[in-house]
Amino acid sequence: MPETSEAEESGRTAPGPPAPLPSASPAPGGAAVIGGGLRELTSLQVLRTLDTGPRGLTDGDAAERLARFGENTLPARRTVSWPGRFLRSLRDPFTAVLLCLGLVSAAVAAWGTACVITVLVVVSCVLRSAGEHRADRSMAGLRDLVATTATVLRRADGEAAPVAREIPVDELVPGDVVRLGPGDLVPADVRLLRANNLSVNQAALAGESAPVVKHPVDAPNRPGDRWTGGAPTDNASAGHGHGPTHDGLTRNGPTGHAPTGNGNGPAGGGAGWKGHGATGGEAPESGPFDAPQLCFQGSSVMAGSGTAVVVATGARTRFAAAHDSVHPRGPSAFDRSVHGISWILIRFMLLTPPLVLMANAALRGRGLETLPFAVAVAVGLTPEMLPVIVTTCLARGASLLARVHGVIVRRLPALHDLGAVDVLCLDKTGTLTQDRPVVVRALDADGRDDPEVLHWAAVNAWWTLQLADLPVPDALDEAILDADDALGEAILVAHDATDARDTVDGAYTADGADTADTADGDDASGHGVPGHGRGAAVPFDYDGIAAVPFDPARRLSTAVVRTPGRLGVHTLVVKGAVENVLERCALDDAERQRLLALAADRADDGLRLLAVATAERPARQRAYTPADERGLTFTGFVALREELVPSAAGALRVLADRGVTVKVLTGDHPGTVARACRDLGLDPGEVCTADGIDRLTDRELAELADRTTVFARCTPEHKARIVTTLRAAGHTTGFLGDGVNDLPALHAADVGICPRDAVDVARESAGVVLAGHGKDLTAIDHAIMAGRHSSVTIATYLRITLSSNLGNVIAMLAAGLLLPFLPMLPAQALVQNLCFDAAQLTFSYDRVAPAALRRPTMLRPRDFLRFITAFGALNAVADLATFAVLALALRGPGGTDDEALFHSGWFTENLLTQALVMVLLRTGRRTAEAPGTSGARGVFGVRGISPVGRAAAALAVTGLLLPLSPLGPPLGMTALPSVYYLLLVVVLGLYAVALAVARRRHENRGARA
């Protein structure tokens, strides 16, 4: 088949002084070359502007341009060094708070406290840096899986013949002539010189799921012109773009207009396939991706082949421009939570030292000598282990996801955000559907099932593929051929069963005729299905005569065949867009409108329709052209839908059970996406389209987004606006995307998610990468559960630690005002903090009860403030009760003058109450207890003693034995009288009861909320 061509392969362009090459610096918008005027030039003018020719560059020219323009890569990603990662970890608010406290402790000569804080900060930063380094190494492995070579024409010198070579993509330069074939990634922004049935997938750039027909344009585009289908339709060999857009499928795509010259027919709104043009009112402004002569880096060749000249590389491509135009990511849910809790701690810590100083000065007449004690009180309020606990929990969850489920967490805070996600936004294609059509029904003119329609559609698909010399069948033809094969097998099985039954009953036809003798392939049982009777013809049994391939102006294709046994007659089999086929059929206006209405009704139900028609012509030798596609007999419709992802329905149910609301943001037709959602058990409700979004204010959109499940006809800007509005309304949002067009929404979401085969810039922008196959919702569910586990563990640690610390601070303040000595020595406070911190580290390895993972988990500062205030006050009451016990145990009110006994008693009580709090306030303790199990088992976990239970037991033993050990005297502690332990048991018993009652009330209040 001839190729379409603009520049002949005869040599260099016309002589004359070459125009200067485009500037190496990107123009505004990033697409310097294409945006700089080359789109409006003819191909010869483009070649002259780039100082090249159809035979490509010489090796010397290519080397000079590579040095001038640089490699064909995106702006370099700087590999962050270990010191850089470490310093970046210090910007965490919790870590910054600890560093400030460490500096203050050093300033007041509390060297022990300063050293402990420094060690904890270093451990936290090392853990976080190591986790992110592992994630970056995994990402580098994914980048290595992407194709990195291109086929380019190069010459040794100006006189040598061009030779096709495979070179690394990053060595391409402007002016190179490259060859494109099926499956190739377009390596740079290029201008087509030749094309043979070329179609490309631009979904990663423009968001269109349908491939786009591409071909050279001989005449320059004038401002305001719009391409309306390319080559003239009276040349059968023009054949532009027979590929995945084949047949002009009736589909309401994002353009929503009928094909050129056909008006807006009622059968579902017309073309919808990008590249088919638009009429019906004033044509919208053409974007760069609509230009048929341009292909862009980031797109891929679906079918056909072509030769093109490179016009932009590296940072000057539109692929790079889309990446550069994305605004910086705003604070995520984790960032907002951490900042809120940090500011609560900072307020408490800033308020505590002045209160201590003023109270001691007013009541005890003390001056600045109480400053170390005031700083110790502020330090005591701080959860020193928080950065370590947070980093360890997130790093363990991320490591488990990578090993078991193939999910790479690129930023550790993104794992917490996943646990907090209550709205997941996603596209339909690749997530809910497989972007692979399947035949649903074959309908006659009255809307009844008719397998003969499918048979003729298969004849067209098979012989168009064979006679048009196409490399592979497109998705639609493949679906039709598969359905026809399946129907044929089913009918043969049914015939075999009928024959077996008829043999027993003696029920063969009276004349004994076999179905193979039935004219035109009709079987004797009256099925009348050509090609499916026993022994009758199948598509490849016909004699192929000619094919008039699909082109974007006609939006149909024709196969000319000869039926076996019928000499002198050729049958034209036409298949394509409903409007285009019907206008070529011999129908009156009323019948044509009825069929259009029938097609529109099916399209509104989410089906995509092809029309099939036939005509018989006397056999001839003359070539067939589009002019022969007249006076056809309408046969029927083939209805298709996209095949559903098998695991999607189950994953959607699981996400709903976990409290995650799924919202579908797609550029597809409302009926199509609604049909897919219904088939998967997701109620689409009232579908909102992009034109409705444009008319709404942000507040109105927030109200609409809260109650709407499906948004159709969305552009990248619409997706980003919806995600931003949901976040502003208080939702934690995740967005699943894989293309450059998804970058704005990926950045707008709290956590961006993409599959491994996403474009490189999408993977770099996402916080979570699915390293398995495709956009797997099951993998996302695993990631959400891992995030919730980490978040619940962090929240449990915070509640227990902050409430216990607050109680101790209140008790310290009271004791400092009531006692003539410090209630606890600095060394004792340091040892107590170290013991508690070591025990708290086991929270990172705790088993979380399933009930705690049923709903999104988020660190809410106000909830924490209420919790720690209530339980902190309860802890302070227990401490004050211990003071009373100490006074009685030491024989009267004056007994508290014995500093060593008081310090020992309070040290023991503090560790015991902290151990009690760790056990009783563990998240899910009561919910983890199975019916009929003992209380002890419920306290320590679902299966035996949990790590937290063991740590709490060790902490209690330390509190009891340390004052009695040889380490007691050096720390200023001594043995306590026996009566103290008896009274302490009473205090702890009452405290445990009070904790249980307070916890039950807190849980009931949370359940009602």
Side-chain angles (χ1 to χ4, degrees):
M1 174 178 293
E3 292 181 337
T4 56
S5 173
E6 293 184 278
E8 298 299 327
E9 298 277 1
S10 57
R12 300 282 286 188
T13 56
L21 284 170
S23 170
S25 60
V33 177
I34 290 182
L38 292 186
R39 178 182 174 187
E40 286 75 29
L41 303 178
T42 65
S43 65
L44 292 176
Q45 290 171 326
V46 169
L47 290 171
R48 184 172 181 179
T49 300
L50 294 170
D51 192 20
T52 186
R55 299 193 301 159
L57 298 172
T58 65
D59 291 337
D61 288 340
E64 185 273 331
R65 297 188 187 196
L66 184 62
R68 178 178 176 185
F69 292 101
E71 292 186 342
N72 178 33
T73 58
L74 290 176
R77 291 183 295 270
R78 293 178 56 190
T79 301
V80 183
S81 63
W82 262 99
R85 293 183 190 278
F86 188 89
L87 293 176
R88 190 169 61 184
S89 300
L90 295 177
R91 295 183 298 180
D92 178 81
F94 286 139
T95 305
V97 169
L98 276 183
L99 278 179
C100 292
L101 289 176
L103 293 175
V104 173
S105 299
V108 297
W111 300 110
T113 301
C115 290
V116 170
I117 288 176
T118 302
V119 169
L120 294 175
V121 168
V122 170
V123 169
S124 171
C125 292
V126 168
L127 288 174
R128 182 166 182 172
S129 300
E132 294 185 353
H133 176 69
R134 285 194 298 269
D136 281 352
R137 283 193 305 177
S138 299
M139 290 298 301
L142 291 179
R143 285 194 293 270
D144 292 340
L145 298 177
V146 180
T148 56
T149 62
T151 303
V152 62
L153 296 180
R154 290 275 179 87
R155 296 172 293 152
D157 53 53
E159 302 301 324
V163 178
R165 307 177 189 172
E166 288 285 328
I167 68 169
V169 167
D170 54 13
E171 294 181 9
L172 286 177
V173 295
D176 264 328
V177 175
V178 296
R179 289 179 175 174
L180 303 175
D184 287 348
L185 296 175
V186 178
D189 288 354
V190 300
R191 168 74 178 256
L192 286 174
L193 303 177
R194 305 169 67 87
N196 181 17
N197 300 323
L198 180 66
S199 61
V200 302
N201 188 323
Q202 297 183 158
L205 296 166
E208 298 292 346
S209 61
V212 183
V213 176
K214 295 289 185 178
H215 61 85
V217 173
D218 293 319
N221 289 337
R222 296 178 301 277
D225 287 352
R226 180 173 178 82
W227 176 61
T228 57
T233 60
D234 59 354
N235 182 3
S237 66
H240 301 306
H242 185 97
T245 57
H246 175 50
D247 293 325
L249 178 63
T250 299
R251 171 187 179 190
N252 287 3
T255 55
H257 297 286
T260 302
N262 292 326
N264 285 329
W273 292 106
K274 292 293 287 182
H276 288 163
T279 57
E282 184 178 353
E285 183 67 24
S286 175
F289 302 118
D290 294 327
Q293 72 272 33
L294 301 178
C295 297
F296 298 89
Q297 185 182 40
S299 55
S300 58
V301 178
M302 301 300 294
S305 60
T307 302
V309 60
V310 175
V311 294
T313 59
R316 293 167 295 279
T317 63
R318 289 204 171 264
F319 190 86
H323 182 240
D324 294 338
S325 64
V326 175
H327 298 294
R329 186 189 305 275
S332 67
F334 181 80
D335 298 328
R336 297 192 300 271
S337 300
V338 165
H339 281 87
I341 296 173
S342 297
W343 274 110
I344 291 176
L345 293 177
I346 290 172
R347 292 188 187 100
F348 271 110
M349 287 184 293
L350 292 177
L351 185 63
T352 299
L355 286 177
V356 173
L357 290 174
M358 288 187 295
N360 278 275
L363 299 179
R364 293 288 182 177
R366 300 168 182 164
L368 291 179
E369 65 271 15
T370 59
L371 181 59
F373 175 69
V375 173
V377 172
V379 171
L381 182 62
T382 307
E384 298 95 338
M385 290 296 293
L386 181 57
V388 178
I389 296 290
V390 169
T391 305
T392 303
C393 287
L394 297 178
R396 288 188 72 244
S399 177
L400 179 65
L401 281 174
R403 290 197 318 268
V404 179
H405 302 296
V407 178
I408 300 174
V409 180
R410 299 191 61 249
R411 297 180 300 106
L412 288 183
L415 187 58
H416 164 270
D417 295 338
L418 276 172
V421 163
D422 61 342
V423 175
L424 177 63
C425 300
L426 46 85
D427 194 5
K428 172 183 67 66
T429 304
T431 309
L432 306 181
T433 63
Q434 300 187 51
D435 199 20
R436 186 169 67 238
V438 292
V439 174
V440 179
R441 301 178 68 184
L443 308 173
D444 64 13
D446 296 322
R448 295 189 299 265
D449 290 324
D450 185 355
E452 184 176 358
V453 177
L454 178 60
H455 169 72
W456 284 118
V459 170
N460 172 280
W462 175 261
W463 285 109
T464 303
L465 174 67
Q466 300 302 315
L467 298 175
D469 195 26
L470 298 174
V472 292
D474 63 43
L476 299 178
D477 283 348
E478 193 170 9
I480 290 171
L481 292 172
D482 289 344
D484 185 63
D485 289 343
L487 180 60
E489 292 175 3
I491 291 178
L492 287 175
V493 170
H495 273 296
D496 290 341
T498 302
D499 290 349
R501 183 175 64 252
D502 291 346
T503 301
V504 175
D505 297 338
Y508 275 110
T509 55
D511 57 4
D514 192 270
T515 53
D517 299 325
T518 305
D520 297 331
D522 293 352
D523 64 15
S525 59
H527 287 292
V529 184
H532 292 307
R534 293 176 59 200
V538 291
F540 50 81
D541 284 339
Y542 289 84
D543 295 325
I545 305 301
V548 185
F550 173 86
D551 73 55
R554 290 164 45 244
R555 297 211 309 147
L556 50 83
S557 63
T558 297
V560 183
V561 299
R562 182 173 60 243
T563 304
R566 300 192 64 187
L567 300 177
V569 177
H570 288 172
T571 303
L572 277 67
V573 186
V574 180
K575 170 169 61 69
V578 173
E579 300 91 336
N580 299 65
V581 172
L582 289 180
E583 72 180 5
R584 289 163 170 81
C585 291
L587 301 170
D588 56 40
D589 290 341
E591 179 65 9
R592 183 176 290 109
Q593 291 302 318
R594 186 187 70 81
L595 292 173
L596 288 172
L598 177 63
D601 182 63
R602 295 298 186 271
D604 289 340
D605 193 36
L607 297 177
R608 302 174 177 183
L609 298 182
L610 293 174
V612 181
T614 60
E616 292 189 347
R617 301 283 190 266
R620 72 187 193 195
Q621 295 297 321
R622 190 174 72 254
Y624 285 89
T625 69
D628 295 301
E629 299 165 343
R630 294 291 183 270
L632 306 177
T633 301
F634 180 74
T635 302
F637 301 108
V638 176
L640 306 98
R641 63 168 172 79
E642 287 184 348
E643 188 170 358
L644 303 176
V645 174
S647 62
L652 288 173
R653 287 194 298 270
V654 170
L655 289 172
D657 292 340
R658 301 199 193 285
V660 178
T661 301
V662 172
K663 296 189 181 296
V664 183
L665 315 182
T666 179
D668 218 328
H669 180 261
T672 302
V673 65
R675 171 66 179 261
C677 290
R678 285 194 298 270
D679 291 344
L680 292 169
L682 179 65
D683 183 11
E686 182 179 353
V687 179
C688 179
T689 56
D691 54 351
I693 296 174
D694 292 333
R695 294 192 297 266
L696 299 176
T697 64
D698 288 343
R699 183 174 181 178
E700 292 170 339
L701 180 58
E703 296 175 355
L704 177 68
D706 200 47
R707 64 177 187 270
T708 302
T709 300
V710 176
F711 295 86
R713 309 278 201 197
C714 290
T715 65
E717 291 73 22
H718 289 131
K719 294 179 181 180
R721 187 184 174 202
I722 293 169
V723 171
T724 302
T725 301
L726 288 168
R727 287 187 64 190
H731 294 286
T732 304
T733 60
F735 183 84
L736 175 61
D738 58 0
V740 174
N741 60 302
D742 292 321
L743 281 178
L746 285 170
H747 277 261
D750 287 291
V751 54
I753 311 168
C754 73
R756 62 180 287 181
D757 54 357
V759 297
D760 195 45
V761 288
R763 289 202 306 269
E764 295 298 325
S765 300
V768 176
V769 177
L770 308 179
H773 297 288
K775 295 182 276 190
D776 185 6
L777 290 179
T778 303
I780 294 178
D781 173 63
H782 291 314
I784 287 175
M785 294 307 292
R788 290 185 184 180
H789 190 287
S790 299
S791 298
V792 168
T793 301
I794 295 169
T796 300
Y797 164 78
L798 277 174
R799 290 191 183 99
I800 291 175
T801 304
L802 290 177
S803 59
S804 180
N805 288 358
L806 180 61
N808 288 340
V809 165
I810 294 174
M812 273 188 170
L813 291 175
L817 297 177
L818 298 175
L819 299 176
F821 52 82
L822 293 178
M824 188 173 289
L825 298 178
Q828 295 167 353
L830 179 60
V831 171
Q832 176 182 279
N833 284 341
L834 288 175
C835 292
F836 195 25
D837 290 343
Q840 289 169 331
L841 189 59
T842 59
F843 279 111
S844 302
Y845 303 89
D846 193 21
R847 292 190 295 268
V848 177
L853 304 176
R854 291 175 183 167
R855 295 296 170 193
T857 304
M858 188 172 179
L859 307 177
R860 303 182 187 278
R862 291 186 178 180
D863 293 343
F864 276 104
L865 185 58
R866 285 194 295 266
F867 186 95
I868 65 176
T869 301
F871 285 87
L874 192 59
N875 185 275
V877 171
D879 286 343
L880 294 175
T882 302
F883 294 166
V885 167
L886 285 170
L888 292 176
L890 300 178
R891 299 181 182 85
T896 54
D897 290 339
D898 190 333
E899 294 187 30
L901 285 175
F902 185 90
H903 292 159
S904 301
W906 198 24
F907 181 89
T908 298
E909 184 268 347
N910 263 337
L911 292 188
L912 289 176
T913 54
Q914 288 173 348
L916 197 61
V917 167
M918 286 178 62
V919 171
L920 293 178
L921 295 187
R922 271 187 64 223
T923 299
R925 178 193 65 86
R926 289 169 59 248
T927 54
E929 189 175 334
T933 58
S934 64
R937 185 178 182 184
V939 167
F940 291 115
V942 180
R943 298 171 183 164
I945 300 177
S946 71
V948 172
R950 290 193 292 268
L955 187 64
V957 170
T958 302
L960 291 171
L961 298 182
L962 188 60
L964 306 176
S965 71
L967 295 176
L971 292 174
M973 293 184 287
T974 186
L976 292 162
S978 301
V979 65
Y980 168 76
Y981 293 105
L982 295 176
L983 295 174
L984 184 59
V985 169
V986 176
V987 172
L988 293 178
L990 294 174
Y991 180 51
V993 172
L995 278 178
V997 173
R999 172 175 176 146
R1000 183 180 295 274
R1001 293 184 60 186
H1002 174 78
E1003 289 177 345
N1004 292 339
R1005 189 182 305 114
R1008 288 194 299 269

